[in-house]
């Protein structure tokens, strides 16, 4: 058990023949007591300060642990957000590809339909041209027919007769 200043103060030494000077020993013991009390007080202050620093260290260790956990949670959240964004971008790309395929297929279907309509119009135009050509040929054939010549000759004769009659009627006037 360590000595206390009171233990030093109350210590009694036995007297021997020609021993130390009692006043000098008491003075020295008083000085030792003061120094020992000073060391004890400093020790207590340091002990208190160490306790305070340990409490602060524990507090900051708790803060550090909390911050580390927060950083981990933030990193995990960032990774989750990144994964979700990648998934969403994949979905958007797939949807865009589907839409592009649908648009291309619609355009191909429309172009095929238009091609079929063009072919149908070409057939109709060819039929119309053939019929029109046949009509014109029939009309030309009718013009070259001898019956037509007879009709024209008959008409010319009637005109001649009319001109003869009209000349006679002028003379009568």
């Amino acid at each position: 058990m360590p000595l206390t200043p009171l233990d030093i103060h109350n210590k009694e030494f036995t007297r021997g023949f020609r021993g130390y000077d009692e006043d000098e020993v008491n003075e020295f013991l008083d000085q030792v007591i003061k120094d020992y009390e000073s060391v004890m007080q400093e020790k207590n202050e340091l002990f208190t300060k160490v306790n305070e620093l340990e409490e602060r260290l524990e507090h900051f260790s708790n803060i550090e642990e909390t911050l580390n956990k927060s950083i981990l949670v933030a990193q995990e959240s960032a990774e989750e957000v990144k994964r979700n964004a990648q998934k969403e971008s994949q979905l958007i790309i797939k949807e865009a590809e589907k839409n592009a395929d649908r648009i291309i297929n619609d355009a191909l279907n429309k172009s095929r339909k238009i091609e079929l309509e063009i072919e149908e119009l070409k057939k109709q135009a060819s039929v119309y041209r053939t019929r029109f050509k046949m009509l014109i040929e029939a009309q030309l054939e009718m013009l070259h027919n001898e019956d037509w010549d007879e009709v024209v000759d008959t008409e010319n004769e009637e005109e001649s007769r009319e001109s003869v009659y009209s000349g006679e009627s002028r003379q009568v006037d």
Side-chain angles (χ1 to χ4, degrees):
M1 183 161 170
L3 290 175
T4 64
L6 191 59
D7 292 336
I8 295 171
H9 187 277
N10 292 332
K11 177 69 177 163
E12 295 275 332
F13 295 98
T14 55
R15 292 186 192 257
F17 178 70
R18 292 180 117 201
Y20 294 106
D21 181 13
E22 191 177 326
D23 289 335
E24 200 175 312
V25 169
N26 284 337
E27 258 182 54
F28 181 74
L29 286 175
D30 286 341
Q31 182 63 38
V32 169
I33 289 171
K34 281 184 196 174
D35 290 347
Y36 193 74
E37 281 178 343
S38 172
V39 167
M40 291 289 287
Q41 183 179 356
E42 186 177 340
K43 178 188 164 209
N44 287 337
E45 287 173 1
L46 289 174
F47 183 75
T48 304
K49 189 168 188 171
V50 165
N51 283 338
E52 288 174 6
L53 290 174
E54 283 178 348
E55 287 176 7
R56 288 183 67 196
L57 179 63
E58 185 178 342
H59 173 73
F60 287 121
S61 294
N62 288 338
I63 289 174
E64 179 184 21
E65 185 178 335
T66 303
L67 287 174
N68 286 335
K69 287 179 182 178
S70 297
I71 288 170
L72 287 176
V73 168
Q75 287 174 339
E76 289 173 0
S77 295
E79 288 297 320
E80 182 70 23
V81 167
K82 186 177 176 182
R83 281 192 300 274
N84 287 340
Q86 286 176 338
K87 286 179 184 178
E88 189 173 340
S89 68
Q90 294 285 337
L91 291 174
I92 290 170
I93 288 170
K94 285 182 182 179
E95 187 67 27
E97 287 173 347
K98 285 180 186 177
N99 285 340
D101 288 343
R102 182 184 50 78
I103 290 169
I104 289 171
N105 287 334
D106 287 349
L108 287 174
N109 288 336
K110 286 180 182 178
S111 70
R112 287 185 191 124
K113 185 177 177 183
I114 290 171
E115 284 179 20
L116 291 174
E117 289 176 1
I118 289 172
E119 288 300 317
E120 183 62 29
L121 288 173
K122 284 181 180 179
K123 287 179 186 176
Q124 289 177 2
S126 177
V127 168
Y128 176 76
R129 182 175 181 245
T130 303
R131 287 183 181 170
F132 192 65
K133 185 177 178 184
M134 289 173 55
L135 176 67
I136 290 175
E137 287 174 355
Q139 294 296 320
L140 281 173
E141 191 177 311
M142 283 177 58
L143 286 174
H144 291 297
N145 192 340
E146 290 178 12
D147 292 339
W148 186 258
D149 289 338
E150 289 176 13
V151 170
V152 171
D153 287 341
T154 308
E155 192 174 302
N156 284 339
E157 287 176 9
E158 285 181 15
E159 284 179 7
S160 310
R161 279 189 232 147
E162 283 180 14
S163 61
V164 169
Y165 291 124
S166 58
E168 289 176 3
S169 62
R170 275 189 230 153
Q171 289 177 352
V172 172
D173 290 334

